[in-house]
Amino acid sequence: MSMNKLDTQKRAQILQMLCEGMSIRAITRVTGASKNTVAKLLVDAGTIFSEYQDAAFRNLPCKRLQVDEIWSFVYSKQKNVPDGMEGEAGDVWTWVSFCADTKLMPSWFIGNRDADSAKAFMCDLAARLTNRVQLTSDGHKSYLEAVEQAFGADIDYAMLVKIYGSTVEGQKRYSPAECVGCRKDKITGRPDKAHVSTSYIERQNLTLRMHMRRFTRLTNAFSKKVENHAHAFALNAMYYNFVKIHGSLRVTPAMEAGVTDKLWSMNDLVALIEAREVPKKRGSYKKKISN
């Protein structure tokens, strides 16, 4: 089943499955589409949705933001990276921002867990906001210079530093150390201590791992190429921000943030993809998509 023969409903079905944590091979077994067809749809969707959200998430009214980094790996874990694949394989960190009020995920960055990635992530986030915001991060030191460079003094910024106890003897290998407390450090401005928290972004990390097969730990569901890793995240972000109704808001995060005034469907996502294909086939005709 080639990409050109997939109708709107079939594409919508495949995208829905990708957003619900199914692997590409599982989708091929359920739908009958070839692996290459599903992979190409993922690439097209990721490219278009990344560009769409980059343009749509501007002048945002967010007031309280939380940020965090999610670990994953591409092709192999860092210790097993083959010779000649340095920089293409190994550990990958996805930096994610989250609005505590609108539940929007307005910015993300895929790279390393270093100062350069932190600066790129923070500068991108700052460019999307209209208000002075309160920001909370964990105690990762790369945030300090990155936040200062992106926001200067025009921010209320605090770090939530967790304090972990010693590992209990006999504790299972993959069990995290027990968190015995936390410390709220004011960094810039006057952050409200009542809202110095990373609870929302940490819960969002769980949601992301549940909805993206490539982020599932302790499995063989990892990405083989970092480009596809990025495409999968852009697709999931589009689904989360525009299609999935948030349980507490009763609307989508994009609606709550005023980015769109309608509830999107998977068919609307497919329409964005098809709008890019039509000009290539018919030249002068362009299909318009409105929020």
Side-chain angles (χ1 to χ4, degrees):
M1 185 181 293
S2 67
M3 184 66 191
N4 292 332
K5 293 182 181 179
L6 286 181
D7 59 24
T8 298
Q9 292 303 320
K10 182 65 73 173
R11 289 180 174 183
Q13 180 188 21
I14 291 173
L15 292 180
Q16 181 78 58
M17 290 178 175
L18 286 170
C19 293
E20 293 295 343
M22 289 188 67
S23 68
I24 288 181
R25 291 187 182 277
I27 292 172
T28 62
R29 292 192 293 270
V30 172
T31 66
S34 71
K35 180 181 176 183
N36 289 341
T37 296
V38 177
K40 185 178 186 305
L41 179 57
L42 172 64
V43 171
D44 290 345
T47 301
I48 293 168
F49 297 161
S50 179
E51 294 174 358
Y52 184 87
Q53 291 174 98
D54 179 51
F57 295 156
R58 300 289 175 178
N59 301 317
L60 297 173
C62 303
K63 296 180 180 179
R64 294 186 294 130
L65 290 165
Q66 301 177 11
V67 293
D68 200 7
E69 325 86 58
I70 311 173
W71 173 84
S72 188
F73 66 93
V74 168
Y75 191 84
S76 70
K77 291 188 177 179
Q78 195 63 42
K79 64 180 180 179
N80 299 323
V81 173
D83 293 338
M85 291 194 68
E86 294 82 0
E88 301 177 17
D91 292 347
V92 172
W93 290 85
T94 304
W95 302 68
V96 183
S97 60
F98 191 84
C99 177
D101 298 309
T102 66
K103 308 301 186 286
L104 188 74
M105 195 163 54
S107 177
W108 62 89
F109 182 84
I110 296 175
N112 299 315
R113 196 171 185 252
D114 57 16
D116 290 339
S117 294
K119 291 176 184 178
F121 171 56
M122 278 298 156
C123 287
D124 180 78
L125 177 60
R128 302 182 184 280
L129 306 172
T130 57
N131 307 312
R132 180 186 179 102
V133 300
Q134 174 162 331
L135 177 71
T136 306
S137 73
D138 59 20
H140 186 37
K141 293 182 179 180
S142 292
Y143 282 115
L144 294 172
E145 186 176 349
V147 172
E148 181 179 0
Q149 178 175 322
F151 293 93
D154 190 24
I155 191 172
D156 301 310
Y157 172 44
M159 279 184 165
L160 184 71
V161 182
K162 293 184 177 180
I163 303 169
Y164 294 96
S166 58
T167 303
V168 179
E169 185 178 355
Q171 192 174 22
K172 292 183 179 179
R173 178 180 177 186
Y174 294 106
S175 297
E178 181 183 2
C179 180
V180 297
C182 60
R183 187 178 72 245
K184 297 180 179 181
D185 293 345
K186 183 188 79 170
I187 307 299
T188 306
R190 301 177 62 184
D192 184 348
K193 282 195 173 183
H195 296 301
V196 176
S197 170
T198 56
S199 297
Y200 286 120
I201 186 64
E202 289 173 1
R203 180 59 181 83
Q204 180 66 3
N205 290 348
L206 173 60
T207 299
L208 293 173
R209 289 195 184 279
M210 292 175 65
H211 282 272
M212 279 184 287
R213 185 66 173 154
R214 297 162 191 266
F215 279 74
T216 307
R217 290 177 287 194
L218 304 180
T219 71
N220 63 350
F222 52 88
S223 298
K224 308 304 187 295
K225 296 191 296 184
V226 70
E227 293 82 3
N228 287 348
H229 193 77
H231 293 319
F233 195 95
L235 166 61
N236 186 270
M238 190 76 184
Y239 172 73
Y240 169 80
N241 285 323
F242 287 88
V243 178
K244 186 180 179 183
I245 296 177
H246 195 278
S248 62
L249 299 177
R250 310 309 300 172
V251 294
T252 63
M255 294 173 69
E256 185 72 10
V259 177
T260 183
D261 58 2
K262 72 171 188 178
L263 175 63
W264 286 49
S265 68
M266 297 307 295
N267 285 351
D268 291 322
L269 299 192
V270 175
L272 280 180
I273 300 172
E274 293 177 342
R276 293 291 188 90
E277 298 171 345
V278 171
K280 298 178 182 179
K281 298 177 182 178
R282 301 184 183 178
S284 61
Y285 174 71
K286 290 188 176 181
K287 185 176 181 181
K288 296 182 180 180
I289 303 294
S290 60
N291 287 350

